[in-house]
Amino acid sequence: MRQCFSGLDAEILTGQLVALEAGIKKACTMAESVSDFLVQRLSDWGVKRIYGYPGDGINGIMSALEKAEDRMDFVQVRHEEMAAFMACAHAKFTGEIGVCCATSGPGAIHLLNGLYDAKMDHQPVLALVGQQSRASLGGDYQQEVDLVNLFKDVAHEYVQMATIPAQIRHLVDRSVRIALAERTVTCIVIPNDLQECEAEPVPPHKHATIHSGIGYSSPRVIPSAQDLRKAADILNAGKRVAMLVGAGCLRATDEVIEVAELLGAGVAKALLGKAAVPDELPFVTGSIGLLGTKPSWDLMMNCDTLLMVGSNFPYPEFLPKEGAARGIQIDIDAKVLSIRYPMELSLVGDSAETLRALMPLLERKTDRSWRGQIEAGVREWWEVLEARAMNTAHPINPQRLFWELSPRLPDRCIVSADSGSSASWYARDLKFRRGMMGSLSGGLATMGSGVPYSVAAKFAFPDRVAIACVGDGAMQMNGINGLITISKYWKEWSDPRLVVLVLNNHDLNMVTWEQRILSGFPKFEASQVLPEFPYAEYAGMLGLKGIRLDDPNEIGAAWDEALSSEVPVVIDAHTDPEVPTLPPHISYEQAKNYMKSIIKGDPDSRAMIRQSYQEMVAGWIPHRTREHEHEHVGEEQLTHK
């Protein structure tokens, strides 16, 4: 039935509408909200980008970010874990604090793996996490999780939940400052109802209030003159000095080179320190450890003095035997001193500043025979790597992909690798030049970080080429979804070049070889074999370029095409899973386990033996050509051997 309004009814209705409109306008122009102040305060600290995924637990923050689009970017990821990986990578590549955000409950939980990556690699990252409304807390409400306790380990230096608007200022200031000063993860939990409250940027001037400020400057930390003199005396007395440098030396390149020249030392690099010194230098022995090189192994086993700078390298079996060398360690963090090797002298100090203060006290070694021995070993090692890269495989030898990429690496490129066999070839086969950057998940060694790292690199440096090297396991875990993020944002980058190399071998390859070498078990196919996925075709579906590669003779052309492309590229490289990631030194126990895995019936034992034989031959006789090495060696002969 049609309802009729009198003139008076219409006048009342009009008045109500006018009042409602005025109320809406007033609400829209009211004083800034807690979320508005939060975003502005982060901007005042220099934060320009937040990685995250929305949810009703952070609706207020999302609204504030929309209003602040002129000064703060929000990067929408496909999964909160990737947001934390990207925040970690941002910190690694820029030296700035990385920021990620997630909703309450499930979103917050998703952040943890990426945040632990940041914690264990000592990177400053702030996590902003939503929570259910304050009135519901303690009532077993939907998605209610005790977030302060949840984050207490990963953000152990600082995790706090805001309960009133006046807290926001000092929670932001302290979380950012502590993250930068301690190089760690911090966390602020903000209930969703508080996010929409009116901000209180200036707390009352009274007892029991906090009045914090913005700003942090890194201190100049160097050891005492007395300790520097002690260090110089030890180093000057050494006849065979070895240096091991890590991520703490990424901004101390010149100082490391100069000290190495004075001491006639060789320089080995922990994995996170790969970009610290160029691989082109003849005395740089490359990576150390399970993914390391033979020259680095020889350097550590034969030195009489070890200088360890900016590294918390974890594996003592790759360092000198206890008592075989005098040791000096320099690190900004006293907690990591003298825990990998019993150092004679442990110095708290910034890597660059300390080495610079040490240099005038060092005497240049006149006997360069130790240096000559190191350089000869390095030259031979590069020949070994080339011979191994050119070994035949079915269909493609993964080492050759990296060997062919190495001379093609663009200046100032940023390379990321994922955990797995891709990390081995990244560590050994790529020659980094000055100005390049590279990283992976070091301390946590988690899968799934490679593609998010490269995306963060492009946001931080949109004019530089980013390259991600990942296995198919990591690609199926996170990388596929990461391609969606790339397809969403790549047109915003001034240089669109981002290349994802997928080692497609249908195998969780690193774990397969660990089962064989470390445990003596044959490959467990139920856990190790991966399903097929059309990575190149999938990239094409997203508007990216896909290159399917299964011919070793086309590797160079594929890299040239990818690195000159005007859109991001996925190279789907079909590689041989039986090419072994041999450690630089094979122990008797490892050799015994290898044989056990074959005797117990490894399903790929024939291919294992064939590829392992080729690797060993290349190591024994690096100067021989690939054709000569395999001229009379058939598959049956190799299997027999």
Side-chain angles (χ1 to χ4, degrees), residues 87 108 235 349 366:
L235 294 169
T366 55

Side-chain angles (χ1 to χ4, degrees), residues 27 58 99 126 130 140 168 185 224 229 246 339 377 385 407 426 429 457 472 474 491 502 514 525 547 553 626 636:
I58 51 172
V99 182
L126 167 62
D140 195 22
I168 298 298
V185 174
S224 68
R229 181 70 263 173
I339 61 173
L385 286 182
Y426 161 88
D429 289 88
D472 47 1
K491 293 181 182 178
V502 184
E514 287 173 343
E525 292 187 294
I547 300 174
N553 296 317
R626 179 169 58 88
E636 292 300 321

Side-chain angles (χ1 to χ4, degrees), residues 483-499:
L483 295 181
I484 302 174
T485 303
I486 293 170
S487 71
K488 176 179 172 69
Y489 289 107
W490 71 268
K491 293 181 182 178
E492 299 179 11
W493 302 329
S494 54
D495 186 331
R497 289 179 293 172
L498 186 158
V499 183

Side-chain angles (χ1 to χ4, degrees), residues 469-604:
C469 306
V470 303
D472 47 1
M475 198 66 187
Q476 292 183 14
M477 183 179 287
N478 271 353
I480 293 169
N481 288 336
L483 295 181
I484 302 174
T485 303
I486 293 170
S487 71
K488 176 179 172 69
Y489 289 107
W490 71 268
K491 293 181 182 178
E492 299 179 11
W493 302 329
S494 54
D495 186 331
R497 289 179 293 172
L498 186 158
V499 183
V500 178
L501 168 67
V502 184
L503 303 182
N504 187 358
N505 56 24
H506 307 97
D507 182 48
L508 293 172
N509 200 232
M510 179 67 81
V511 175
T512 294
W513 281 100
E514 287 173 343
Q515 288 176 349
R516 292 165 172 166
I517 302 298
L518 300 181
S519 303
F521 299 144
K523 177 179 176 178
F524 180 36
E525 292 187 294
S527 74
Q528 299 309 107
V529 176
L530 291 167
E532 178 61 66
F533 188 88
Y535 304 101
E537 290 88 339
Y538 182 67
M541 290 171 59
L542 295 173
L544 312 176
K545 177 181 285 189
I547 300 174
R548 189 180 191 279
L549 183 60
D550 56 16
D551 183 347
N553 296 317
E554 296 177 0
I555 292 174
W559 277 122
D560 291 339
E561 181 181 356
L563 292 170
S564 61
S565 175
E566 296 182 354
V567 299
V569 176
V570 173
I571 299 178
D572 180 1
H574 291 248
T575 59
D576 190 338
E578 302 312 323
V579 175
T581 55
L582 295 176
H585 173 75
I586 300 174
S587 68
Y588 170 76
E589 189 68 26
Q590 290 169 336
K592 186 172 69 173
N593 287 335
Y594 177 82
M595 294 307 299
K596 279 183 181 179
S597 70
I598 295 173
I599 293 169
K600 290 178 180 178
D602 194 285
D604 299 315

Side-chain angles (χ1 to χ4, degrees), residues 80-126:
E80 290 89 351
E81 181 182 34
M82 294 192 186
F85 278 139
M86 291 179 190
C88 176
H90 178 92
K92 286 184 173 184
F93 294 138
T94 66
E96 304 166 350
I97 189 169
V99 182
C100 57
C101 70
T103 189
S104 58
I109 293 168
H110 280 166
L111 286 175
L112 287 175
N113 194 50
L115 293 180
Y116 272 102
D117 181 40
K119 176 191 176 182
M120 295 180 72
D121 283 353
H122 308 285
Q123 296 304 314
V125 169
L126 167 62

Side-chain angles (χ1 to χ4, degrees), residues 134-387:
R134 290 167 291 175
S136 71
L137 295 180
D140 195 22
Y141 198 73
Q142 184 190 34
Q143 294 188 339
E144 181 186 348
V145 174
D146 186 348
L147 295 177
V148 172
N149 270 333
L150 179 71
F151 285 87
K152 200 67 176 177
D153 181 56
V154 73
H156 69 281
E157 294 287 352
Y158 196 76
V159 52
Q160 294 289 333
M161 184 174 77
T163 56
I164 62 171
Q167 284 180 278
I168 298 298
R169 174 169 144 182
H170 70 260
L171 292 186
V172 172
D173 293 347
R174 294 207 72 209
S175 62
V176 174
R177 187 177 290 109
I178 289 170
L180 290 169
E182 300 295 328
R183 301 197 62 79
T184 192
V185 174
T186 56
C187 177
I188 306 175
V189 181
I190 313 173
N192 57 20
D193 61 321
L194 179 62
Q195 295 169 27
E196 299 179 9
C197 290
E198 184 174 336
E200 194 171 353
V202 181
H205 188 67
K206 63 179 185 179
H207 184 67
T209 59
I210 303 294
H211 298 259
S212 61
I214 289 171
Y216 173 75
S217 297
S218 298
R220 182 175 185 242
V221 182
I222 56 173
S224 68
Q226 180 181 359
D227 284 338
L228 288 170
R229 181 70 263 173
K230 288 179 183 177
D233 289 343
I234 294 170
L235 294 169
N236 289 334
K239 298 184 184 306
R240 302 183 306 278
V241 181
M243 294 182 68
L244 171 56
V245 301
C249 291
L250 289 173
R251 292 169 177 81
T253 302
D254 290 335
E255 290 80 4
V256 170
I257 293 172
E258 179 61 25
V259 169
E261 288 285 11
L262 287 169
L263 298 174
V267 181
K269 300 186 287 186
L271 201 50
L272 290 174
K274 182 171 175 63
V277 283
D279 289 296
E280 299 170 305
L281 297 173
F283 54 85
V284 173
T285 62
S287 298
I288 188 174
L290 288 167
L291 312 184
T293 71
K294 186 176 183 298
S296 291
W297 169 268
D298 293 339
L299 181 72
M300 293 296 146
M301 294 304 107
N302 296 309
C303 70
D304 63 11
T305 309
L306 171 63
L307 174 58
M308 189 170 172
V309 188
S311 174
N312 189 26
F313 175 73
Y315 303 124
E317 67 269 31
F318 292 95
L319 297 177
K321 290 182 179 180
E322 189 167 334
R326 304 177 74 180
I328 299 171
Q329 186 176 358
I330 300 168
D331 205 286
I332 196 72
D333 185 357
K335 294 190 295 293
V336 304
L337 291 172
S338 202
I339 61 173
R340 310 304 182 195
Y341 187 82
M343 299 293 175
E344 184 173 336
L345 184 63
S346 297
L347 305 177
V348 177
D350 172 81
S351 297
E353 293 279 0
T354 303
L355 292 178
R356 207 175 297 133
L358 188 60
M359 280 189 277
L361 306 176
L362 297 178
E363 300 167 359
R364 181 178 176 82
K365 306 283 186 195
T366 55
D367 182 354
R368 310 302 275 192
S369 57
W370 169 243
R371 170 62 74 82
Q373 181 181 332
I374 294 165
E375 293 184 356
V378 170
R379 285 193 301 271
E380 182 174 305
W381 176 249
W382 286 117
E383 293 176 5
V384 167
L385 286 182
E386 181 176 17

Side-chain angles (χ1 to χ4, degrees), residues 5-86:
F5 293 93
S6 66
L8 180 60
D9 291 333
E11 184 177 341
I12 292 173
L13 181 61
T14 301
Q16 290 174 334
L17 289 172
V18 170
L20 179 61
E21 182 180 4
I24 293 172
K25 287 182 178 179
K26 182 179 179 181
C28 292
T29 57
M30 65 179 284
E32 66 178 353
S33 70
V34 163
S35 295
D36 293 328
F37 178 72
L38 169 75
V39 172
Q40 182 58 53
R41 196 69 172 181
L42 288 170
S43 178
D44 293 342
W45 269 98
V47 176
K48 299 180 178 64
R49 186 174 301 106
I50 296 176
Y51 300 95
Y53 199 81
D56 62 357
I58 51 172
N59 276 345
I61 296 175
M62 292 297 104
S63 175
L65 286 168
E66 181 182 18
K67 288 183 280 186
E69 285 181 316
D70 60 328
R71 59 188 181 279
M72 184 75 70
D73 292 334
F74 176 73
V75 178
Q76 181 208 69
V77 299
R78 314 275 66 76
H79 188 290
E80 290 89 351
E81 181 182 34
M82 294 192 186
F85 278 139
M86 291 179 190

